[in-house]
Amino acid sequence: MKCIRSELIGWGHYLPPKVLTNDDLSKMVDTNDEWISTRTGIKTRHISEGESTAQMSVKAAGKALEKAGLTAADLDLIIIGTLTPDNTTPSAAAKVAGLLGVKSGTPAFDVSAACSGFVYALTMADNMIRLGQVRTALVIGAETLSKVTDWTDRNTCVLFGDGAGAVVLRALEGIGTAEDTGILSTKLYADGTKYGFLYTTGGVSTTANAGYITMDGKEVFKSAVGCLSDAAEYVLKDAGASVEALDWLLPHQANIRIIDGVGHKLGIAPEKVIVTVDHHGNTSAASIPLALSESLESGKIRKGQLVVLSAMGAGFTWGGVLIRI
Ligand code: ACO
């Protein structure tokens, strides 16, 4: 039986030029390169100097559209996963649609699912493509986490970075097996009882400001490995694919110890795990599309390869996407 699925036809990313090193951070708070490197695997992160989430999104989207050989006028849908939109309203996606020059009437909205935002957004776009509602979708993960980081709190400020990644999806007819290219399976989860382990100290209806990210690092760590591996296992099983058939595990880039834990739990060799946390830090919803675009651009991930994306973040939210490039 023929079915519609979503093929990845373009990708791009943007990182703001300013690089903040662990040594830079040691001049701001009581920390050091050794502590940050061993506990998190992070060496450097990019920090925006005045560029907003929408502006970085436009740059990533421009590259993704160029790679796809399309223009903004070809788009039927824009979704952005972000927890740091430019304004409370309208959405970053609506602003980006205007900046890109997307045709009037094209639906555009944000998904708020913290570090799972891109996986949630990709799933929404895939579902709309599968239903035949749209044919060509731009999906972005973008963050200016530096704006919700308390730069006096050493527990959190060493972790985060800014950036944007984008992909273009197009409807494709396939026979519906794990050998097809495109998105093969998606799965989303949330557990709101874990809300208090990771949140911002403010928000529109409470403090009327964005607040700063605060967390119980140990609780997040404990849940993250299980959530990330469960999501990956689910989509592999759902698509009838085995761990052995997988070319790459691309998990949310939170922390190298979490990433290593997921690879170990799934039985995936370290050389098959994509790691960018060392030079991106944790960029929340931008982390997966940044790592995906960078790995595709460098030729590390190649056409025909099977990749599992797995994300987890505040909410808690988590989810997985299995895709053959
Ligand atoms: N530099 C130096 N010392 C520090 C720093 C720092 N930047 N931050 C904390 N410490 C100190 C603490 O104050 C504590 O000191 P104390 O024992 O005197 O109180 C000590 O280091 C140990 O702190 P722990 O919290 O026990 O350190 P832990 O080994 O748990 O590592 C970390 C902390 C890295 C945050 C870890 O819990 C973790 O990786 N958690 C996952 C959280 C995460 O990645 N969050 C990202 C957002 S969520 C997501 O993306 C899914």
Side-chain angles (χ1 to χ4, degrees):
M1 194 184 82
K2 298 254 185 204
C3 66
I4 298 175
R5 62 180 60 217
S6 312
E7 188 183 24
L8 182 71
I9 59 165
W11 54 84
H13 64 276
Y14 176 76
L15 289 159
K18 182 181 173 184
V19 173
L20 191 70
T21 67
N22 292 346
D23 286 340
D24 294 333
L25 280 162
S26 71
K27 294 179 191 114
M28 297 159 63
V29 289
D30 182 14
T31 190
N32 55 72
D33 175 53
E34 201 269 333
W35 194 97
I36 303 171
S37 301
T38 53
R39 304 289 177 119
T40 73
I42 301 168
K43 284 287 187 187
T44 58
R45 68 289 285 148
H46 290 253
I47 302 294
S48 162
E49 292 182 295
E51 283 184 292
S52 73
T53 293
Q55 287 168 328
M56 293 193 295
S57 296
V58 166
K59 290 185 176 166
K63 292 180 193 168
L65 284 167
E66 192 184 335
K67 185 82 197 166
L70 299 178
T71 69
D74 297 311
L75 293 172
D76 301 324
L77 172 69
I78 300 184
I79 311 179
I80 301 187
T82 187
L83 66 93
T84 49
D86 293 20
N87 301 86
T88 301
T89 195
S91 65
K95 189 169 181 185
V96 167
L99 292 169
L100 282 174
V102 169
K103 57 186 180 290
S104 174
T106 305
F109 60 94
D110 291 355
V111 171
S112 174
C115 302
S116 310
F118 181 75
V119 160
Y120 264 63
L122 204 58
T123 300
M124 294 301 106
D126 179 51
N127 288 342
M128 289 176 76
I129 286 173
R130 282 175 189 269
L131 281 171
Q133 293 177 335
V134 300
R135 284 195 62 78
T136 310
L138 174 66
V139 183
I140 299 172
E143 302 284 11
T144 36
L145 289 187
S146 56
K147 299 288 188 192
V148 286
T149 298
D150 177 354
W151 291 103
T152 65
D153 175 14
R154 69 174 182 174
N155 291 298
T156 53
C157 75
V158 301
L159 302 174
F160 303 116
D162 298 335
V167 299
V168 178
L169 299 178
R170 187 178 57 193
L172 167 82
E173 268 201 0
I175 55 168
T177 75
E179 305 313 312
D180 285 345
T181 54
I183 294 179
L184 305 176
S185 175
T186 60
K187 177 69 177 170
L188 302 179
Y189 309 84
D191 178 357
T193 65
K194 304 281 168 57
Y195 154 90
F197 292 136
L198 179 58
Y199 58 95
T200 59
T201 53
V204 180
S205 76
T206 51
T207 60
N209 60 41
Y212 295 121
I213 299 172
T214 185
M215 66 177 183
D216 181 332
K218 283 195 197 318
E219 285 296 335
V220 174
F221 197 107
K222 263 198 289 183
S223 297
V225 174
C227 289
L228 289 162
S229 32
D230 286 353
E233 264 172 354
Y234 182 96
V235 290
L236 279 165
K237 191 161 177 244
D238 186 51
S242 65
V243 170
E244 292 70 36
L246 206 56
D247 293 294
W248 297 103
L249 166 67
L250 198 169
H252 169 50
Q253 304 289 309
N255 178 310
I256 193 65
R257 293 187 298 159
I258 294 175
I259 295 170
D260 287 347
V262 177
H264 184 74
K265 191 149 189 264
L266 291 171
I268 296 171
E271 56 272 19
K272 286 185 163 188
V273 181
I274 301 288
V275 176
T276 55
V277 72
D278 55 329
H279 58 288
H280 291 167
N282 180 348
T283 58
S284 190
S287 109
I288 287 180
L290 271 172
L292 182 63
S293 172
E294 197 173 274
S295 304
L296 283 160
E297 198 171 286
S298 70
K300 190 169 185 175
I301 299 181
R302 297 191 309 276
K303 189 83 194 146
Q305 289 192 321
L306 192 61
V307 183
V308 70
L309 314 178
S310 181
M312 184 267 183
F316 289 156
T317 55
W318 65 108
V321 172
L322 186 69
I323 181 165
R324 188 176 293 285
I325 304 297

